[in-house]
Amino acid sequence: LPLQYDEKKSTIMTCCSKLLCNGCNLANRKRNKNLSLEQKCVFCRHSIPESAEEFKRNLMIRVEANDPLALHRMGYYRNYEGDCEDAFQYFTKAAGVGYIRSHYELSVMYRKG
């Protein structure tokens, strides 16, 4: 099955910057809970962040490594928070390393002014 491209229907795994559809994420969490296993990333098997702070710290590690998806997601969060200047910078970096979705977000920002 193809992954959902809609970011609202996908979860970013901040440990490895992979997208996982919310349905697959839920199935993995239920499986781990039923088998009394630790919650881990399905791709790299690192522990899933317990808090928002840990999530942000993992995401920033990937941003510092110039990971295109992490750069794009950070731009998305900054734009959502209303910090358009930082969002523009993150989207520009992500577009510069080849993340196509960031080109679209930049075009939307240009259109809105």
Side-chain angles (χ1 to χ4, degrees):
L1 294 173
L3 286 175
Q4 285 287 341
Y5 196 60
D6 185 358
E7 293 178 359
K8 295 175 185 164
K9 295 179 182 179
S10 299
T11 301
I12 185 173
M13 306 308 286
T14 57
C15 46
C16 57
S17 284
K18 303 271 188 213
L19 278 179
L20 181 65
C21 76
N22 289 340
C24 296
N25 190 28
L26 178 63
N28 183 53
R29 286 180 180 260
K30 286 175 86 174
R31 178 187 149 283
N32 288 344
K33 185 176 181 183
N34 289 341
L35 298 175
S36 300
L37 300 172
E38 181 183 0
Q39 297 293 335
K40 294 189 175 205
C41 173
V42 297
F43 298 108
C44 68
R45 309 309 294 164
H46 280 95
S47 297
I48 292 177
E50 299 280 327
S51 66
E53 292 301 317
E54 191 177 351
F55 177 86
K56 288 180 182 178
R57 188 178 27 182
N58 287 349
L59 186 59
M60 284 307 298
I61 289 170
R62 299 302 307 166
V63 165
E64 290 167 3
N66 280 334
D67 185 283
L69 180 59
L71 289 165
H72 176 79
R73 190 51 67 110
M74 186 58 76
Y76 184 80
Y77 291 142
R78 292 288 192 251
N79 197 27
Y80 181 77
E81 294 169 353
D83 188 357
C84 294
E85 291 178 18
D86 276 354
F88 181 81
Q89 295 299 323
Y90 283 115
F91 286 142
T92 302
K93 279 185 177 181
V97 292
Y99 197 70
I100 295 171
R101 182 84 178 158
S102 291
H103 287 279
Y104 170 75
E105 294 296 338
L106 286 170
S107 72
V108 170
M109 291 181 85
Y110 276 117
R111 187 184 71 210
K112 288 183 177 180

